[in-house]
Amino acid sequence: MIATIQYNSRKIQIDVSKPIDISIAIDMSKPNINAWYVDDPKILTEKIDDQIIKVSEGAAVNFNSIHFNPHAHITHTECVGHITSKVHSVNKNMKHYFFVAEVVTVAPEKKGSDFVISVKQLKTALRNKKRDAIVIRTLPNLPEKKSKQYANTNPPYLLEEAAEYLKEKGIKHLLIDLPSVDKEKDDGELLAHNAFWNTSGDARMDATITEFIYVPNSIEDGEYLLNLMIAPFENDATPSKPILYKIIE
Ligand SMILES: N[C@@H](CC(=O)c1ccccc1NC=O)C(=O)O
């Protein structure tokens, strides 16, 4: 099924029957991704009056409760409420769900004992392209990324100038395959989050950061239509399901 989208003066065609899912699911049949020192997520069958509510146990339906943390366990999208004393809701502040995105691949550079994404790397990848969203795939891009235990591993992160550059370039939605755009232990500085959301000025309420994506190696860098759909929780962050569509023309 082909859809034609009028995007400003341009017509974009995509094949909606060929979605490219770049989310990481909570899947109890596999080891789960984890960060930020919390326990693993749980999907547990409820009991009502001592009856296990599960079809295989004789109940009419399956009825599981889920316990998870969006920042720790799953692809999630967050707004500035993640770092402000008022917990602004991403579900209230995100107004649109289709964007033109650039998928870029970067190998984080060594800086002291850290690995970082620099402004130079992003400039090289984006050049003069005008995009609503950037999807950052970091190297190495092994499937283990979908089950990595990140606590105390000091993962790569974005330098402040890199986040500043994305803001200046008008990128509204930043997607990355890491637990955070900032250093794991930075004494609460959160330089890249603050720069991207412009918290020292007029905060960019409708800008979002999506963490814990996974872009398969079979997907080439370049321009895509992105459908960034979120689960309706009024919270700073919520599970999301980013889907890319190759632009046919
Ligand atoms: N980098 C922050 C910590 C941080 O970001 C964080 C700490 C505990 C639980 C979650 C965190 N961030 C989640 O997105 C700091 O060192 O203060």
Side-chain angles (χ1 to χ4, degrees):
M1 192 196 299
I2 307 295
T4 306
I5 292 146
Q6 182 82 39
Y7 180 79
N8 300 328
S9 59
R10 199 176 148 200
K11 274 196 169 60
I12 289 175
Q13 276 202 337
I14 59 163
D15 186 345
V16 292
S17 62
K18 292 184 178 149
I20 302 162
D21 187 347
I22 55 167
S23 67
I24 299 178
I26 290 175
D27 179 351
M28 300 316 283
S29 71
K30 294 183 187 150
N32 206 85
I33 200 165
N34 200 332
W36 310 115
Y37 331 110
V38 292
D39 288 344
D40 283 330
K42 293 176 190 68
I43 302 184
L44 296 171
T45 303
E46 286 293 339
K47 263 188 183 174
I48 302 176
D49 297 334
D50 272 348
Q51 217 228 302
I52 302 169
I53 313 298
K54 193 170 186 181
V55 176
S56 62
E57 299 284 337
V61 293
N62 293 314
F63 186 65
N64 296 334
S65 290
I66 303 177
H67 183 270
F68 70 99
N69 183 300
H71 298 286
H73 296 137
I74 192 167
T75 306
H76 62 280
T77 298
E78 59 197 36
C79 73
V80 69
H82 184 44
I83 57 165
T84 52
S85 58
K86 179 173 161 46
V87 186
H88 298 284
S89 167
V90 64
N91 194 48
K92 285 230 163 67
N93 284 289
M94 201 177 161
K95 308 284 187 199
H96 302 280
Y97 310 100
F98 280 97
F99 310 103
V100 172
E102 186 76 11
V103 172
V104 307
T105 302
V106 294
E109 300 169 346
K110 194 158 166 52
K111 183 174 184 250
S113 50
D114 297 349
F115 282 90
V116 299
I117 298 167
S118 67
V119 65
K120 186 161 165 256
Q121 289 179 301
L122 296 183
K123 277 186 178 168
T124 306
L126 282 176
R127 296 195 301 275
N128 61 350
K129 293 170 189 160
K130 182 90 192 80
R131 300 288 184 261
D132 309 310
I134 185 170
V135 176
I136 303 176
R137 167 172 48 194
T138 60
L139 295 177
N141 191 46
L142 307 169
E144 284 92 275
K145 247 186 209 159
K146 288 187 268 188
S147 60
K148 197 164 159 86
Q149 305 300 296
Y150 277 103
N152 300 307
T153 63
N154 191 30
Y157 59 92
L158 243 70
L159 289 180
E160 182 180 20
E161 311 86 81
E164 184 80 26
Y165 163 72
L166 295 179
K167 175 189 76 183
E168 294 301 325
K169 205 155 159 62
I171 298 272
K172 279 282 187 72
H173 304 281
L174 160 53
L175 295 81
I176 196 160
D177 56 7
L178 294 166
S180 182
V181 293
D182 273 303
K183 186 172 164 68
E184 181 181 16
K185 293 177 185 170
D186 63 355
D187 295 321
E189 280 195 309
L190 299 159
L191 296 172
H193 281 91
N194 276 294
F196 184 72
W197 282 319
N198 199 41
T199 53
S200 57
D202 219 354
R204 299 206 302 159
M205 300 304 293
D206 58 348
T208 69
I209 298 177
T210 299
E211 292 157 341
F212 276 157
I213 58 165
Y214 182 75
V215 184
N217 287 317
S218 57
I219 304 309
E220 288 171 17
D221 282 5
E223 191 187 29
Y224 291 83
L225 191 77
L226 166 70
N227 178 208
L228 180 52
M229 192 42 70
I230 62 174
F233 290 97
E234 302 297 358
N235 193 43
D236 67 296
T238 185
S240 56
K241 180 145 171 144
I243 301 284
L244 298 174
Y245 295 95
K246 205 173 162 60
I247 293 177
I248 304 169
E249 60 166 62

